[in-house]
Amino acid sequence: MIKIRELEKWFGNLHVLKGINLDVNPREVVVIIGASGSGKSTLLRCINFLEKFQKGTVEIDGKVIEKNNEKMINEMRIHVGMVFQHFNLFPHMTVLQNVIEGPTQVKGIPKKDAIKMGRYYLEKVGLLEKENSYPSMLSGGQKQRVAIARALAMEPSVILFDEPTSALDPELVGEVLSVIKDLAKEGMTMVVVTHEMGFAREVADRVIYMDDGIIVEEGCPNKIFDEPKMQRTQDFLSQIW
Amino acid sequence: MYYDFSAIVKYFPFFLPAAWMTIQVTVVGILLGVVLGLLTSFSRISENSLFNIPAKIYIYIIRGTPLLLQLLFIYFGLRSVFGFKAFTSATLGLGIHNGAYIAEIFRGAIQSIAVGQMEAARSLGMTYYKAMRRIILPQAFKRAIPPLGNQFIIALKDSSLASAITINELLLKSQQLASSNYRMMEMLTIAAMFYLFYTSIFTWLFNKIETKLAVSGSR
């Protein structure tokens, strides 16, 4: 579904991604862990071209995305949902309007059908009763669940999560993680960047440990968390557990 | 010399045509300024230097020279070329002048919207222009309202400079009348009353708009 090959990215002189190869298969949940500055968020943002990279290719659903082809990138983004650390809900729209904005404006779905769909996904994240609220009236956890519903309403084939719980108060993390876990159970393909190790272990089919712009180690959660092979992985895990 | 209140009552009606002229010059100037300002702010934030460089030059020249000079320049300079009347010169001058300031107001408002808003819109597959129109501009307009109200009040008062190019507005009228009735203070008082009346209306109007926008979705 996603094939990343030899991806390299510089921010000015800073070499942040140094040749990344990564495949994400349908119905797979890939969790990327690593210290701040390891390049994990940048890698995620390269997948849907929010970040431009200098070398390498990203292939999505069998198509190599051309970095200067705006039309192709927009088309690809319809199938690749994204959930941000800071939610980025549209503050001038109600919860329901936030959720139907993509379907109506990008996919051209008639408003009536979009509203039906939007309510279905709001129900799914447990926030149907907030459909007429504005984002400023919601808690952080509720905002992030709306953001997830907004991504879902596009009916994407994969969703990227960029540290979805890092901006939340500790007591609100659980409600967001449980929504993501439900999606995993339903077989949604997801790539998740997170610092929540317990969650990573529970939800991931495969864990990627990144450090200093490279993938140091990858494998199933038990392998990475219980018997990491690389010294760097061991050091990182011993610091955070 | 004493201050004669009866002169105010007596000469007040003579100001009405001038008061109407002030309104016309101001409103046409502001409308032109808003259109120019919008176009310029979009050009200014464009990554294409074909657009952003002319916008920068326009803003640089207009903000760097006095409005009075600009009015005289248009009136005496361009009138001979294009045959502008005084009214056209005045509204054009005021419009071009305010356009530069309004462009910077809009640019500031657009750039004050968090990058995440554009990213979220683009990640849904929206084009840059659709994201601008649906997501960024509605929020930016709201933020532009207070400084825009301020700019409109400045434009209203700046319309008095059009007196220098023969526009018979409030200030010129007060001086014309004073030169025949020798009641300069009283005539200036009448002009001041009109300006205060107009600025009060602007202030009230913008407060209304701000409250209304604050109710529908906040941040």
Side-chain angles (χ1 to χ4, degrees):
Chain A
M1 170 153 302
I2 300 176
K3 273 197 177 78
I4 301 170
R5 289 290 174 271
E6 297 303 327
L7 193 148
E8 293 194 51
K9 157 117 191 140
W10 283 263
F11 281 120
N13 289 325
L14 194 65
H15 201 180
V16 284
L17 296 174
K18 303 171 179 170
I20 302 287
N21 290 291
L22 176 66
D23 285 17
V24 179
N25 303 308
R27 304 178 71 83
E28 192 181 21
V29 179
V30 173
V31 173
I32 307 176
I33 59 171
S36 301
S38 59
K40 53 193 192 314
S41 278
T42 307
L43 173 61
L44 195 75
R45 291 161 55 84
C46 282
I47 296 176
N48 70 348
F49 284 67
L50 278 185
E51 214 66 75
K52 298 260 151 119
F53 47 88
Q54 284 80 10
K55 278 191 186 159
T57 55
V58 173
E59 185 184 313
I60 291 170
D61 291 334
K63 269 184 260 176
V64 175
I65 308 300
E66 299 159 23
K67 64 178 106 182
N68 292 320
N69 190 336
E70 277 288 312
K71 216 179 146 195
M72 192 175 197
I73 292 173
N74 288 334
E75 171 66 26
M76 168 272 285
R77 284 175 177 155
I78 293 173
H79 307 290
V80 180
M82 184 144 192
V83 173
F84 298 84
Q85 181 179 353
H86 295 287
F87 333 125
N88 298 347
L89 292 178
F90 307 132
H92 58 305
M93 297 180 180
T94 64
V95 163
L96 185 62
Q97 285 168 343
N98 263 276
V99 175
I100 67 169
E101 180 69 6
T104 53
Q105 292 298 317
V106 178
K107 292 173 87 175
I109 292 173
K111 198 164 176 190
K112 238 174 62 192
D113 302 340
I115 288 174
K116 233 184 260 166
M117 256 175 59
R119 290 200 172 122
Y120 170 78
Y121 288 110
L122 280 175
E123 172 96 75
K124 207 172 168 109
V125 299
L127 286 173
L128 187 54
E129 79 278 9
K130 296 283 184 189
E131 61 169 302
N132 293 319
S133 303
Y134 281 92
S136 59
M137 301 149 86
L138 305 179
S139 72
Q142 290 172 330
K143 283 182 195 170
Q144 195 60 299
R145 281 147 67 199
V146 173
I148 293 171
R150 179 174 68 179
L152 286 172
M154 290 296 285
E155 312 204 303
S157 46
V158 53
I159 301 184
L160 313 174
F161 290 85
D162 187 6
E163 302 195 22
T165 59
S166 296
L168 297 177
D169 292 337
E171 76 272 19
L172 301 175
V173 169
E175 60 186 80
V176 172
L177 292 185
S178 90
V179 168
I180 302 175
K181 280 181 214 160
D182 288 346
L183 292 177
K185 270 183 220 140
E186 290 170 23
M188 173 60 83
T189 313
M190 299 190 280
V191 184
V192 187
V193 168
T194 187
H195 291 289
E196 298 284 335
M197 295 303 149
F199 164 74
R201 183 177 203 133
E202 191 179 337
V203 80
D205 295 311
R206 186 149 49 102
V207 176
I208 312 271
Y209 171 64
M210 277 184 75
D211 188 32
D212 198 23
I214 60 166
I215 293 177
V216 176
E217 191 166 352
E218 62 178 295
C220 65
N222 292 338
K223 246 176 74 188
I224 297 290
F225 288 113
D226 299 334
E227 41 204 55
K229 284 201 190 74
M230 309 295 285
Q231 187 61 45
R232 278 202 270 181
T233 319
Q234 291 166 15
D235 292 347
F236 173 71
L237 290 172
S238 67
Q239 273 167 19
I240 54 164
W241 281 118
Chain B
M1 199 68 184
Y2 59 96
Y3 193 91
D4 182 5
F5 285 100
S6 69
I8 291 176
V9 181
K10 186 176 165 198
Y11 286 98
F12 192 87
F14 292 94
F15 276 82
L16 289 174
W20 171 232
M21 179 54 88
T22 289
I23 279 290
Q24 288 177 72
V25 171
T26 303
V27 169
V28 178
I30 284 174
L31 288 178
L32 190 62
V34 168
V35 173
L36 273 174
L38 268 178
L39 292 176
T40 308
S41 67
F42 292 148
S43 309
R44 177 75 177 70
I45 58 174
S46 158
E47 278 169 22
N48 187 340
S49 47
L50 206 66
F51 292 109
N52 72 44
I53 289 179
K56 279 183 199 165
I57 294 173
Y58 164 54
I59 293 168
Y60 172 76
I61 292 174
I62 297 303
R63 284 204 309 186
T65 56
L67 171 58
L68 185 55
L69 184 148
Q70 292 160 13
L71 288 173
L72 293 171
F73 196 90
I74 290 172
Y75 182 61
F76 290 110
L78 301 185
R79 183 180 59 162
S80 53
V81 184
F82 300 105
F84 289 157
K85 292 198 179 91
F87 183 78
T88 316
S89 300
T91 50
L92 200 61
L94 213 59
I96 291 172
H97 181 81
N98 281 286
Y101 285 92
I102 292 171
E104 289 294 89
I105 289 173
F106 281 137
R107 179 174 74 93
I110 290 169
Q111 290 181 339
S112 78
I113 305 298
V115 208
Q117 289 291 309
M118 181 53 101
E119 287 186 345
R122 297 305 302 275
S123 78
L124 290 171
M126 283 193 201
T127 62
Y128 174 82
Y129 294 102
K130 187 158 242 170
M132 262 293 171
R133 189 165 59 77
R134 299 278 313 171
I135 307 301
I136 306 297
L137 289 182
Q139 298 180 60
F141 274 127
K142 213 162 106 178
R143 285 195 198 174
I145 295 294
L148 220 47
N150 204 31
Q151 187 61 37
F152 287 3
I153 287 174
I154 292 172
L156 170 72
K157 294 182 294 180
D158 278 354
S159 71
S160 62
L161 288 170
S163 60
I165 57 169
T166 76
I167 296 293
N168 207 343
E169 48 68 68
L170 288 167
L171 192 67
L172 185 62
K173 180 55 102 191
S174 63
Q175 291 182 316
Q176 280 175 353
L177 289 173
S179 67
S180 58
N181 65 14
Y182 306 108
R183 291 280 163 209
M184 183 56 101
M185 297 303 288
E186 291 83 347
M187 297 305 107
L188 287 174
T189 304
I190 297 174
M193 284 162 65
F194 274 105
Y195 283 120
L196 280 168
F197 173 65
Y198 289 152
T199 49
S200 305
I201 291 178
F202 274 27
T203 309
W204 174 80
L205 202 66
F206 270 86
N207 283 340
K208 261 264 196 278
I209 295 172
E210 269 181 62
T211 346
K212 188 150 184 221
L213 287 176
V215 173
S216 70
S218 56
R219 199 183 152 84

